[in-house]
Amino acid sequence: MKIAVCMKRVPATDTKVKPGAGRPWIDSTGVEYVLNPYDEFAIEEALRLKEARGGAGEVVVVCVGSADAQKELRTALAMGADRAILLEDAQAELRDAQEIAGALAAAVKELGSELVLLGKTGVDRDQSQTGQRVATRLGWGCAIECAKIAIDGSAIRAEREIEGGREVLELSLPAVLSCEKGLNEPRYAGLKGIMAAKKKPLETKAPQYAAAQGEVLSFEMPPERSGGRIVGSGVDAVAELVRLLQQEAKVL
Amino acid sequence: MSAILVYVETKDDQPKKASLEALGAASRLGGEVVALLYGRHAQAAAAKLALSGAAKALAVEDAQRAHFSPEAVVAALAAAAAKLSPRAIFFAATSQGRDLAPRLAEKLGCAQASDCTELRNGGDGKVEARRPVMAGKAYTWMRAKNATLVATLRPNVFAEAKSGGAPAVESMAAPAADLKSIVKEIVASASGVLDVSEAPVVVSGGRGLKEASNWKVLEDLAAAFGGRAALGASRAVVDAGWRPHAEQVGQTGKTVAPQLYFAVGISGAIQHLAGMRTAKTIVAINKDAEAPIFKVADYGIVGDALEIVPALTAAIKKAIG
Ligand SMILES: Cc1cc2nc3c(=O)[nH]c(=O)nc-3n(C[C@H](O)[C@H](O)[C@H](O)COP(=O)(O)OP(=O)(O)OC[C@H]3O[C@@H](n4cnc5c(N)ncnc54)[C@H](O)[C@@H]3O)c2cc1C
């Protein structure tokens, strides 16, 4: 099975956000970028699926990103992916989900893979759209936020957490599956993997974007929470807290 | 002004609260609001939309299909959109909405704003949406260049309409659809209680509670709200196996926006704040007066959670009566 894993380069989750100059996005000066945490689950799952089939098939990581995203692609190769495709665009960070999905769907089609794995969301724009859009574009089945994936022949059984329970979804290949934390425990790339990754193929192409209708009007910082009132300490403060919740915040 | 189409989720024959909030948000923007309901009880649920803000309800009853399929609902929504040419299509940002909205947006060639926390009419009558990015550390306003914006709305942020009459209910035939994904089963969690992402009150615990058995004090506090509260957890205690991942609040857990959020024995790491900073009122209980959670909390008590929480539970029980 040829598995495509779509992955993204994103700012680390502890990034201090500052508005960028002249663009409605963050100022990326000095920001540390990493492989999107949810994509790690997708890469791990792809590697496990391949291993469970005696190593048959191929895991190809695909990323729409700037030239710097080679670093994250090498991380994926060091984990064990076979080869990487960078759909290079210096402005990748500013692209809409619709554009990205178009570029990824085109790349997947060209690859001829029948399974796409990716993270449930990118922790930068927090959109949770890419997997569903890629599947719709390709006319494939889709399961999102997978916490468990079982593939038998071409039959797929995917589980996800929903409000107040767990949903079991059945679909078949070809398909797009987005991955949730808890699906697996992503492996660390060891020294051997890192050395091997240097020799693995990383191909650069131009993304074939779909037209995008989204328009970002502005980027703003949230108002500081005025909060920060310590009511008191110990059990003695409880009565005053309840009074404030009742009379000031009016939430009781 | 063209209509706003709202997908209304149902549980049995009840419209879901988060969907009623989406109807409320749509009605405040103005113009006709059309609800679409899908499923075996669509008709009965549509009859419960009085005072929701919807002028019309399309009930798609689908007796042949035993199981829910996202493709079937998307096909019905696409058919309704083709007739209405709506200026926006709203979903609640729930597990269903997160799944359906991007599929529909892609099918219709539309942009989507995910997990919106504010909406407004632009000068040209287009719907503009404010949504958090970078885990709530910043926001963007966005809109569509073409006629229709698809948006999912964060639960507990928008008020229900609670005014207007009952919508005219029309039944709509389920359009043919190529069903690729079928929901075979929904296993309700043992507790059957309110999900943390939907509850108006959330009682969350962290490593400061010391051990899993101490959750009894948080359960008691939640119980004092009589079914309106759900339990939440920090990642540290989920990773320790004290609590299930379903309860985790934060960047790699759930995003919650309750009326009242209790952070008990939680330090307030940036990834935890990502999931709860839009709560209306935040109460922190922590023995360390310097804990970062106090910077975002509206009210804080410094001290031992195991002593303070039982006293708080008793006082709240008395206050609520
Ligand atoms: C990529 C990534 C994603 C993450 N995602 C999440 C996420 O989704 N959600 C999340 O929560 N975290 C997340 N984290 C982890 C986060 O950084 C913190 O490690 C975590 O939130 C800490 O949990 P805690 O507050 O329970 O524990 P701690 O940080 O250990 O804090 C315990 C607190 O309890 C207080 N305390 C101790 N004893 C008592 C007592 N007797 N009474 C009262 N207070 C007491 C202490 O003063 C302290 O403030 C993520 C981290 C990364 C790197």
Side-chain angles (χ1 to χ4, degrees), chain A:
Chain A
M1 186 161 39
K2 194 185 268 185
I3 306 173
V5 180
C6 302
M7 50 165 276
K8 193 172 190 189
R9 168 183 161 89
V10 297
T13 56
D14 54 4
T15 300
K16 293 244 181 323
V17 172
K18 274 188 292 178
R23 62 175 201 170
W25 190 234
I26 65 166
D27 177 356
S28 57
T29 334
V31 169
E32 186 206 344
Y33 281 78
V34 296
L35 171 57
N36 180 37
Y38 290 107
D39 299 342
E40 290 181 22
F41 302 116
I43 295 165
E44 178 63 34
E45 197 66 13
L47 296 175
R48 288 186 191 193
L49 285 168
K50 183 182 161 186
E51 285 158 8
R53 282 153 186 77
E58 195 183 21
V59 174
V60 185
V61 282
V62 186
C63 173
V64 179
S66 64
D68 293 333
Q70 291 185 33
K71 167 169 113 30
E72 284 69 35
L73 284 167
R74 291 281 174 208
T75 304
L77 293 174
M79 284 174 75
D82 297 296
R83 62 188 173 101
I85 299 174
L86 173 61
L87 303 172
E88 191 181 333
D89 170 15
Q91 299 298 316
E93 229 187 342
L94 300 177
R95 299 290 175 182
D96 186 84
Q98 206 177 355
E99 292 179 284
I100 304 272
L104 291 173
V108 167
K109 222 186 232 167
E110 215 174 284
L111 259 179
S113 68
E114 51 178 344
L115 178 62
V116 173
L117 296 174
L118 76 180
K120 71 162 185 178
T121 194
V123 300
D124 48 358
R125 288 193 187 267
D126 300 329
Q127 305 218 75
S128 311
Q129 295 183 23
T130 307
Q132 300 89 312
R133 282 187 182 269
V134 169
T136 305
R137 251 190 126 72
L138 294 169
W140 294 5
C142 177
I144 66 164
E145 302 166 2
C146 299
K148 211 169 173 183
I149 295 171
I151 303 183
D152 183 7
S154 71
I156 305 171
R157 194 183 142 92
E159 289 184 26
R160 73 162 166 156
E161 274 172 23
I162 59 169
E163 298 83 7
R166 216 158 220 262
E167 181 184 86
V168 181
L169 202 77
E170 287 186 0
L171 63 166
S172 49
L173 293 173
V176 177
L177 308 176
S178 85
C179 302
E180 168 67 292
K181 177 176 181 250
L183 175 63
N184 53 42
E185 205 51 63
R187 66 194 68 185
Y188 285 104
L191 194 59
K192 218 172 119 209
I194 295 170
M195 295 312 287
K198 291 185 177 160
K199 296 201 200 78
K200 288 181 179 172
L202 192 161
E203 188 187 351
T204 300
K205 291 185 187 180
Q208 299 168 42
Y209 288 130
Q213 298 298 338
E215 186 181 1
V216 176
L217 302 169
S218 60
F219 177 93
E220 47 190 55
M221 302 300 288
E224 289 287 323
R225 266 197 100 94
S226 51
R229 169 143 48 130
I230 301 221
V231 176
S233 58
V235 173
D236 295 344
V238 165
E240 175 63 1
L241 171 64
V242 171
R243 190 192 69 77
L244 289 165
L245 290 177
Q246 215 163 15
Q247 290 170 18
E248 190 177 85
K250 299 191 166 49
V251 285
L252 286 189

Side-chain angles (χ1 to χ4, degrees), chain B residues 44-181:
Chain B
K48 298 193 167 137
L49 289 180
L51 308 182
S52 69
K56 196 156 112 186
L58 303 170
V60 191
E61 288 210 343
D62 178 355
Q64 300 89 333
R65 294 179 187 149
H67 297 289
F68 183 89
S69 162
E71 285 88 5
V73 184
V74 167
L77 285 161
K83 270 209 192 121
L84 286 167
S85 303
R87 62 191 181 114
I89 306 175
F90 290 168
F91 294 79
T94 55
S95 56
Q96 246 191 55
R98 288 194 302 275
D99 189 16
L100 299 173
R103 294 173 186 254
L104 180 69
E106 189 65 25
K107 197 174 164 113
L108 300 177
C110 289
Q112 180 185 318
S114 304
D115 207 21
C116 302
T117 53
E118 202 178 324
L119 297 161
R120 69 183 179 207
N121 286 311
D124 50 6
K126 280 190 180 172
V127 173
E128 298 178 352
R130 183 179 191 254
R131 56 175 305 272
V133 295
M134 298 289 297
K137 283 182 260 179
Y139 286 84
T140 60
W141 276 99
M142 70 172 282
R143 67 171 183 176
K145 290 182 203 156
N146 63 356
T148 308
L149 178 73
V150 173
T152 63
L153 313 192
R154 180 176 286 188
N156 281 327
V157 169
F158 298 92
E160 295 177 36
K162 303 230 158 112
S163 67
V169 179
E170 260 176 46
S171 72
M172 180 179 147
D178 183 6
L179 306 190
K180 295 184 186 300
S181 338

